[in-house]
Amino acid sequence: MTALIDLGEEHAPADDDPPGAPRLSLWQRRGTALAVCVALLVTSIAAERVPPGPLRGPVHVQDAVVGSVALVDDLLLMARRREDGTRDLAAVDTGDGSQRWRIPLAGGSPEVYAAWAADGVLLVSVIDGSSAEQAWSTYAVDRLTGVLYWQDRSIAVGTRIDGGQPVTLMVGVDPKADWFVSRDIRTGRELWRVSYTTGQDWSLYEVGGRIAGFVLVDMGARRRVRLVGVDGTTQAEQDLPEGTDAVQQADGALLVSYEHDGMHRITSLRLPDLEPGWNVPNPAPRSSVYVSDCRPSVCVNDGDLLWLLDAATGKVRWYGRMDGFFPAAPGVLNAGLHDTPGYSLLRDSGTGEVLMRLRDWQVVGYDGSLLLLSNQQDRRTWFGTFDPAHPGPVRVLGAGGPTLDRCWLTQGTLACRALLGGLDVYRYQP
């Protein structure tokens, strides 16, 4: 029997706790002197003292950034406005803020959406304001010089190596058809294309850690699913259970939420063969539920309740109350507490165990190995890291200038909107 754990009874630390101090569990407080050192270090925030740390910068990039940017290795990719109102795609060195290269963008008001790197080529997808019907454009450029190799009216969604040759998988959408295509990264040569005239929900899926193709879900009155492999082969359509209201991919399976004979259920279909796996009652009491990928578990939430299901069996591993949640990193959930703004818990997404209690620290993102955190204090932004593989106190990196609430990061590099405009770029030691 699983017991309900009411997290709403937990509260923030007492008012005399030092501002910004990480809230540690009892075993962490007793088990390590390092926790005390970090608490003292963070206390110095209020005292206007900057602790030494492995944070370098900021390097300020003075541009009016309205939408998104992207970080790839040591490059910051952004749309820069020309004097005539058009925009360029600019690559900025994250080390000194200098411009490496820039190329003109065809769209009227684009912003950078995502970027990929392979074989010395950058694939940069932008939101293209020149056409309401085709909202994406992708530019393939030389990473060092910015020489344009090719461009396409679609969005790049992944790369992989086929027969020793890097290729990119792309998706295009317009009112008449959706298409899925694979291209040679350097030449843009089309290797295969699959098109559909009906609306499709799509996602990539992996086998053994490698991209294996697309999952396509027909959004018609009768929900159906089919797979498109990375070689363009297409499986026959397969009906989903009658009454299907949501489909989500999670950890090598397709999760289908549906209603049958007045009962709400969740079933799994294993990828890539779509063979039936487990089928369990939906634990949520209401129909307005959401199923999501919280590897190594499946998350089911209904209002302020959260269930963690075993991805292999569908059994409930933990459930409790929370005030909003999101997967922060592989194996880690960030869950808020009721009536306690600025205070949240980092939980193990497999067991529900509390890994860290955070007061004032906010999750910026995951850089591939560490969770990056920020803390606004005394007109400064403090940064720290949390290692999901070795849970412990927040490691304080150092302080920068005041930022807005949007940042982008890759391993070792962080770019944030500056309060007074432009971007501040920081480097840190992972």
Side-chain angles (χ1 to χ4, degrees):
M1 179 178 179
T2 305
L4 177 65
I5 303 174
D6 187 354
L7 301 183
E9 295 301 315
E10 299 197 48
H11 301 286
D15 292 338
D16 58 351
D17 279 2
R23 183 68 169 176
L24 307 181
S25 62
L26 184 60
W27 69 268
Q28 288 170 319
R29 289 175 180 270
R30 293 177 175 175
T32 173
L34 182 59
V36 177
C37 295
V38 170
L40 292 173
L41 186 61
V42 179
T43 305
S44 66
I45 294 175
E48 297 281 350
R49 295 196 301 271
V50 180
L55 186 73
R56 300 195 302 274
V59 172
H60 188 68
V61 179
Q62 187 59 49
D63 281 273
V65 179
V66 177
S68 298
V69 300
L71 286 167
V72 178
D73 300 326
D74 61 345
L75 293 181
L76 170 67
L77 302 168
M78 60 190 300
R80 275 183 161 164
R81 187 181 299 274
R82 290 173 161 184
E83 293 182 359
D84 61 3
T86 61
R87 294 206 180 187
D88 289 340
L89 172 64
V92 175
D93 190 307
T94 58
D96 59 14
S98 64
Q99 180 178 285
R100 294 269 192 92
W101 48 259
R102 62 195 301 171
I103 61 172
L105 292 172
S109 56
E111 63 177 270
V112 174
Y113 180 78
W116 307 83
D119 195 29
V121 179
L122 286 177
L123 297 167
V124 186
S125 293
V126 302
I127 299 175
D128 193 336
S130 64
S131 172
E133 294 185 344
Q134 296 178 347
W136 306 102
S137 285
T138 295
Y139 296 79
V141 299
D142 186 279
R143 183 187 178 283
L144 296 178
T145 65
V147 170
L148 179 64
Y149 293 133
W150 54 272
Q151 68 184 83
D152 189 65
R153 295 304 300 272
S154 55
I155 178 173
V157 295
T159 62
R160 59 171 281 149
I161 304 295
D162 281 344
Q165 194 71 18
V167 300
T168 180
L169 298 174
M170 310 183 77
V171 177
V173 178
D174 68 24
K176 297 180 180 179
D178 300 345
W179 65 90
F180 305 86
V181 63
S182 177
R183 294 184 180 277
D184 179 271
I185 284 181
R186 188 166 289 277
T187 67
R189 179 173 60 91
E190 187 174 297
L191 305 177
W192 56 261
R193 175 183 291 253
V194 176
S195 298
Y196 293 94
T197 57
T198 57
Q200 307 282 325
D201 266 354
W202 62 268
S203 61
L204 292 173
Y205 75 94
E206 297 180 348
V207 172
R210 284 169 48 85
I211 295 174
F214 294 97
V215 176
L216 310 184
V217 178
D218 193 319
M219 299 301 293
R222 178 63 172 169
R223 299 290 183 93
R224 295 181 173 86
V225 62
R226 72 171 67 196
L227 303 184
V228 177
V230 290
D231 58 357
T233 57
T234 304
Q235 290 187 10
E237 276 191 322
Q238 180 171 319
D239 287 339
L240 294 174
E242 187 175 352
T244 291
D245 55 23
V247 182
Q248 172 67 47
Q249 188 189 154
D251 201 14
L254 206 62
L255 304 175
V256 182
S257 176
Y258 68 101
E259 183 179 355
H260 179 69
D261 289 340
M263 297 291 293
H264 298 282
R265 302 188 66 84
I266 302 174
T267 188
S268 69
L269 302 174
R270 290 188 291 269
L271 294 169
D273 300 321
L274 296 177
E275 295 178 351
W278 47 264
N279 189 309
V280 300
N282 194 320
R286 297 177 293 192
S287 59
S288 57
V289 301
Y290 301 89
V291 179
S292 53
D293 188 356
C294 297
R295 300 183 188 189
S297 297
V298 173
C299 282
V300 178
N301 68 293
D302 179 12
D304 62 352
L305 297 176
L306 174 65
W307 289 261
L308 299 181
L309 308 188
D310 189 296
T313 65
K315 293 182 179 180
V316 176
R317 305 186 68 171
W318 176 91
Y319 77 106
R321 296 188 183 278
M322 52 84 204
D323 183 19
F325 81 97
F326 60 89
V332 180
L333 295 178
N334 186 0
L337 293 179
H338 290 278
D339 303 321
T340 315
Y343 185 52
S344 63
L345 303 175
L346 295 182
R347 287 190 172 274
D348 186 304
S349 60
T351 65
E353 176 189 358
V354 175
L355 302 175
M356 172 65 72
R357 302 174 186 272
L358 300 176
R359 181 183 179 184
D360 297 326
W361 289 102
Q362 304 294 322
V363 174
V364 175
Y366 180 63
D367 71 3
S369 62
L370 299 172
L371 269 175
L372 198 70
L373 310 173
S374 67
N375 186 327
Q376 300 286 339
Q377 295 283 344
D378 302 321
R379 293 176 295 177
R380 293 177 178 175
T381 302
W382 293 77
F383 296 103
T385 59
F386 174 81
D387 186 351
H390 304 92
V394 173
R395 175 193 179 210
V396 178
L397 297 178
T403 67
L404 297 182
D405 59 354
R406 193 166 189 187
C407 297
W408 298 265
L409 72 152
T410 185
Q411 194 168 54
T413 306
L414 171 74
C416 294
R417 287 182 179 175
L419 185 62
L420 300 180
L423 293 168
D424 286 333
V425 182
Y426 302 88
R427 305 293 290 273
Y428 64 94
Q429 293 294 328

